[in-house]
Amino acid sequence: MAGIDKATFFVRGSVQGVGFRWWARAKAKELGLVGYARNLDDGRVEVCAQGPVADVETMERLLSEQPSTAGRPGRVRGVTAQWGGIRSDLDGFTEQ
C-alpha cells in the first residue's frame, strides 16, 4: 500500500463532551480517511486515521493547529502522534 499510512493521535485538553469526536469524524470523512475517534478514561481523545500520507498529515494539522481554522470544538492543549502499523480491519470512520 504505497503512500498509505496510519497515525494514532492522542489529543489533550478540554476535548470530551464538546462535539470533538463528531468534528474529527466529519473532517476525516472529508479527507477520505478511515479510522475512529474515541474518548479515553484519562480525558484525552484518541483519533486513529489511515489513508494517503498527505491526508493523514492534514488531519494532524487540523487536530493541533492553534487557533483552529476549521471550527474545532473544545480546547486542545497538545497532540501526540504515533505513526505506522497499517490496519486492514478499518472501514469507514466511526465515533466510539
Side-chain angles (χ1 to χ4, degrees):
M1 296 174 87
I4 301 294
D5 206 349
K6 177 183 75 67
T8 303
F9 304 107
F10 297 93
V11 185
R12 298 179 312 281
S14 298
V15 290
Q16 290 190 9
V18 294
F20 189 89
R21 289 178 301 146
W22 177 89
W23 174 88
R25 178 180 168 270
K27 292 302 171 193
K29 290 177 73 91
E30 287 175 15
L31 293 167
L33 300 172
V34 297
Y36 59 84
R38 68 178 172 188
N39 287 338
L40 299 176
D41 291 340
D42 63 4
R44 296 178 298 164
V45 170
E46 176 184 349
V47 178
C48 173
Q50 180 172 294
V53 173
D55 295 329
V56 178
E57 290 172 342
T58 296
M59 186 66 175
E60 181 176 26
R61 180 184 57 77
L62 291 171
L63 289 169
S64 59
E65 68 180 356
Q66 299 291 350
S68 174
T69 61
R72 183 187 64 225
R75 289 190 317 268
V76 172
R77 286 197 329 259
V79 177
T80 302
Q82 295 179 345
W83 285 83
I86 293 172
R87 292 177 44 181
S88 61
D89 63 326
L90 296 175
D91 183 33
F93 200 97
T94 61
E95 290 177 65
Q96 299 179 354

